[in-house]
Short mmCIF file of all heavy atoms in Angstrom, two decimals:
data_model
loop_
_atom_site.label_atom_id
_atom_site.label_comp_id
_atom_site.label_asym_id
_atom_site.label_seq_id
_atom_site.Cartn_x
_atom_site.Cartn_y
_atom_site.Cartn_z
N LYS H 38 7.54 18.64 -5.12
CA LYS H 38 8.19 19.15 -6.28
C LYS H 38 7.42 18.61 -7.49
O LYS H 38 7.31 17.38 -7.63
CB LYS H 38 9.65 18.61 -6.33
CG LYS H 38 10.44 19.05 -7.54
CD LYS H 38 11.87 18.51 -7.41
CE LYS H 38 12.65 18.78 -8.63
NZ LYS H 38 14.01 18.17 -8.59
N LYS H 39 6.87 19.49 -8.29
CA LYS H 39 6.07 19.08 -9.40
C LYS H 39 6.98 18.50 -10.46
O LYS H 39 7.90 19.17 -10.97
CB LYS H 39 5.28 20.24 -9.98
CG LYS H 39 4.34 19.79 -11.05
CD LYS H 39 3.38 20.87 -11.47
CE LYS H 39 2.55 20.33 -12.58
NZ LYS H 39 1.39 20.98 -12.89
N VAL H 40 6.78 17.24 -10.81
CA VAL H 40 7.62 16.60 -11.81
C VAL H 40 7.07 16.83 -13.21
O VAL H 40 5.95 17.21 -13.38
CB VAL H 40 7.80 15.03 -11.54
CG1 VAL H 40 8.54 14.79 -10.22
CG2 VAL H 40 6.42 14.37 -11.52
N ARG H 41 7.89 16.52 -14.20
CA ARG H 41 7.55 16.79 -15.55
C ARG H 41 6.21 16.16 -15.97
O ARG H 41 5.84 15.13 -15.43
CB ARG H 41 8.69 16.32 -16.47
CG ARG H 41 8.96 14.85 -16.42
CD ARG H 41 8.45 14.13 -17.63
NE ARG H 41 8.84 12.78 -17.67
CZ ARG H 41 8.01 11.77 -17.56
NH1 ARG H 41 6.75 11.97 -17.39
NH2 ARG H 41 8.42 10.52 -17.69
N GLN H 45 5.03 17.14 -21.58
CA GLN H 45 6.44 17.47 -21.72
C GLN H 45 7.23 16.20 -22.17
O GLN H 45 8.14 16.35 -22.97
CB GLN H 45 7.02 17.99 -20.39
CG GLN H 45 6.71 19.38 -20.06
CD GLN H 45 7.38 19.76 -18.75
OE1 GLN H 45 7.21 19.12 -17.75
NE2 GLN H 45 8.11 20.90 -18.79
N TYR H 49 9.43 15.91 -25.49
CA TYR H 49 10.84 15.57 -25.32
C TYR H 49 11.25 14.48 -26.28
O TYR H 49 12.24 14.57 -26.97
CB TYR H 49 11.11 15.21 -23.83
CG TYR H 49 12.50 14.62 -23.57
CD1 TYR H 49 13.57 15.49 -23.48
CD2 TYR H 49 12.67 13.29 -23.35
CE1 TYR H 49 14.85 14.98 -23.17
CE2 TYR H 49 13.94 12.76 -23.05
CZ TYR H 49 15.03 13.64 -22.96
OH TYR H 49 16.25 13.12 -22.68
N LEU H 81 24.09 17.97 -19.93
CA LEU H 81 23.45 19.07 -19.19
C LEU H 81 23.69 18.97 -17.68
O LEU H 81 23.20 19.76 -16.90
CB LEU H 81 21.96 19.08 -19.45
CG LEU H 81 21.53 19.44 -20.91
CD1 LEU H 81 20.00 19.34 -21.06
CD2 LEU H 81 22.02 20.84 -21.25
N GLY H 82 24.40 17.91 -17.25
CA GLY H 82 24.73 17.75 -15.87
C GLY H 82 23.67 17.10 -15.04
O GLY H 82 23.70 17.10 -13.78
N TYR H 83 22.67 16.46 -15.69
CA TYR H 83 21.65 15.73 -14.90
C TYR H 83 22.19 14.34 -14.59
O TYR H 83 21.66 13.36 -15.08
CB TYR H 83 20.34 15.62 -15.74
CG TYR H 83 19.72 16.96 -15.95
CD1 TYR H 83 19.49 17.49 -17.24
CD2 TYR H 83 19.21 17.71 -14.90
CE1 TYR H 83 18.90 18.67 -17.43
CE2 TYR H 83 18.62 18.96 -15.09
CZ TYR H 83 18.45 19.42 -16.41
OH TYR H 83 17.83 20.64 -16.55
N LYS H 105 20.31 11.30 -14.42
CA LYS H 105 19.04 11.35 -13.68
C LYS H 105 17.93 10.97 -14.61
O LYS H 105 17.88 11.36 -15.77
CB LYS H 105 18.86 12.81 -13.20
CG LYS H 105 17.61 13.07 -12.39
CD LYS H 105 17.66 14.56 -11.99
CE LYS H 105 16.43 14.92 -11.17
NZ LYS H 105 16.50 16.34 -10.75
N SER H 106 16.97 10.21 -14.12
CA SER H 106 15.79 9.85 -14.89
C SER H 106 14.94 11.06 -15.20
O SER H 106 14.78 11.95 -14.31
CB SER H 106 14.95 8.82 -14.13
OG SER H 106 13.69 8.65 -14.74
N THR H 107 14.43 11.15 -16.40
CA THR H 107 13.55 12.32 -16.74
C THR H 107 12.28 12.26 -15.92
O THR H 107 11.62 13.30 -15.79
CB THR H 107 13.26 12.36 -18.24
OG1 THR H 107 12.64 11.19 -18.65
CG2 THR H 107 14.50 12.63 -19.04
N THR H 108 11.87 11.08 -15.43
CA THR H 108 10.65 11.04 -14.60
C THR H 108 10.84 11.76 -13.27
O THR H 108 9.87 12.15 -12.64
CB THR H 108 10.23 9.60 -14.29
OG1 THR H 108 11.33 8.97 -13.56
CG2 THR H 108 9.98 8.77 -15.59
N LYS H 109 12.11 12.02 -12.88
CA LYS H 109 12.38 12.72 -11.64
C LYS H 109 12.64 14.20 -11.86
O LYS H 109 12.79 14.96 -10.94
CB LYS H 109 13.62 12.10 -10.95
CG LYS H 109 13.55 10.62 -10.72
CD LYS H 109 12.53 10.29 -9.66
CE LYS H 109 12.57 8.81 -9.38
NZ LYS H 109 11.28 8.22 -9.18
N MET H 110 12.70 14.66 -13.13
CA MET H 110 12.92 16.05 -13.40
C MET H 110 11.68 16.86 -13.07
O MET H 110 10.56 16.41 -13.24
CB MET H 110 13.22 16.27 -14.88
CG MET H 110 14.59 15.84 -15.30
SD MET H 110 14.81 16.26 -17.08
CE MET H 110 16.53 15.80 -17.27
N SER H 111 11.93 18.06 -12.60
CA SER H 111 10.83 19.04 -12.35
C SER H 111 10.35 19.53 -13.71
O SER H 111 11.02 19.39 -14.74
CB SER H 111 11.29 20.16 -11.47
OG SER H 111 12.19 20.97 -12.19
N THR H 112 9.23 20.21 -13.70
CA THR H 112 8.72 20.80 -14.96
C THR H 112 9.71 21.83 -15.49
O THR H 112 9.91 21.96 -16.68
CB THR H 112 7.35 21.46 -14.75
OG1 THR H 112 7.41 22.37 -13.67
CG2 THR H 112 6.26 20.39 -14.49
N VAL H 113 10.35 22.57 -14.60
CA VAL H 113 11.37 23.55 -14.98
C VAL H 113 12.57 22.92 -15.59
O VAL H 113 13.06 23.32 -16.70
CB VAL H 113 11.76 24.47 -13.80
CG1 VAL H 113 12.91 25.41 -14.14
CG2 VAL H 113 10.58 25.29 -13.33
N GLU H 114 13.07 21.84 -14.96
CA GLU H 114 14.26 21.13 -15.48
C GLU H 114 13.95 20.57 -16.88
O GLU H 114 14.77 20.64 -17.77
CB GLU H 114 14.67 19.98 -14.54
CG GLU H 114 15.32 20.42 -13.28
CD GLU H 114 15.58 19.31 -12.34
OE1 GLU H 114 14.72 18.36 -12.20
OE2 GLU H 114 16.66 19.27 -11.72
N MET H 115 12.76 19.99 -17.06
CA MET H 115 12.37 19.42 -18.32
C MET H 115 12.29 20.53 -19.40
O MET H 115 12.70 20.34 -20.55
CB MET H 115 11.08 18.62 -18.23
CG MET H 115 10.64 17.98 -19.55
SD MET H 115 11.90 16.89 -20.29
CE MET H 115 11.41 15.34 -19.67
N SER H 116 11.69 21.68 -19.04
CA SER H 116 11.66 22.79 -19.97
C SER H 116 13.01 23.25 -20.43
O SER H 116 13.31 23.50 -21.58
CB SER H 116 10.88 23.95 -19.40
OG SER H 116 9.52 23.61 -19.20
N ASP H 117 13.96 23.33 -19.42
CA ASP H 117 15.32 23.72 -19.70
C ASP H 117 15.99 22.70 -20.62
O ASP H 117 16.69 23.10 -21.58
CB ASP H 117 16.13 23.88 -18.41
CG ASP H 117 15.72 25.04 -17.56
OD1 ASP H 117 14.99 25.94 -18.09
OD2 ASP H 117 16.13 25.13 -16.38
N CYS H 118 15.80 21.46 -20.38
CA CYS H 118 16.38 20.39 -21.21
C CYS H 118 15.84 20.48 -22.65
O CYS H 118 16.65 20.39 -23.56
CB CYS H 118 16.04 19.05 -20.59
SG CYS H 118 16.74 17.62 -21.39
N GLN H 119 14.55 20.70 -22.76
CA GLN H 119 13.98 20.78 -24.12
C GLN H 119 14.49 22.03 -24.83
O GLN H 119 14.74 21.98 -26.06
CB GLN H 119 12.45 20.85 -24.05
CG GLN H 119 11.90 19.51 -23.64
CD GLN H 119 10.41 19.49 -23.66
OE1 GLN H 119 9.76 20.26 -24.34
NE2 GLN H 119 9.83 18.56 -22.83
N GLU H 120 14.70 23.12 -24.13
CA GLU H 120 15.24 24.33 -24.77
C GLU H 120 16.68 24.06 -25.27
O GLU H 120 17.02 24.52 -26.35
CB GLU H 120 15.24 25.47 -23.78
CG GLU H 120 15.76 26.79 -24.38
CD GLU H 120 15.02 27.24 -25.63
OE1 GLU H 120 13.81 27.00 -25.77
OE2 GLU H 120 15.64 27.83 -26.50
N GLN H 121 17.44 23.30 -24.56
CA GLN H 121 18.77 22.95 -25.00
C GLN H 121 18.74 22.06 -26.26
O GLN H 121 19.58 22.22 -27.14
CB GLN H 121 19.53 22.19 -23.88
CG GLN H 121 19.87 23.04 -22.68
CD GLN H 121 20.71 24.26 -23.01
OE1 GLN H 121 21.69 24.16 -23.80
NE2 GLN H 121 20.39 25.42 -22.49
#
Side-chain angles (χ1 to χ4, degrees):
K38 180 179 174 184
K39 186 169 177 164
V40 294
R41 62 106 172 113
Q45 281 182 308
Y49 172 76
L81 293 177
Y83 294 118
K105 180 180 183 179
S106 169
T107 57
T108 62
K109 305 292 186 221
M110 286 183 174
S111 69
T112 53
V113 172
E114 287 174 320
M115 181 56 93
S116 292
D117 291 346
C118 183
Q119 289 183 25
E120 182 56 34
Q121 294 299 318

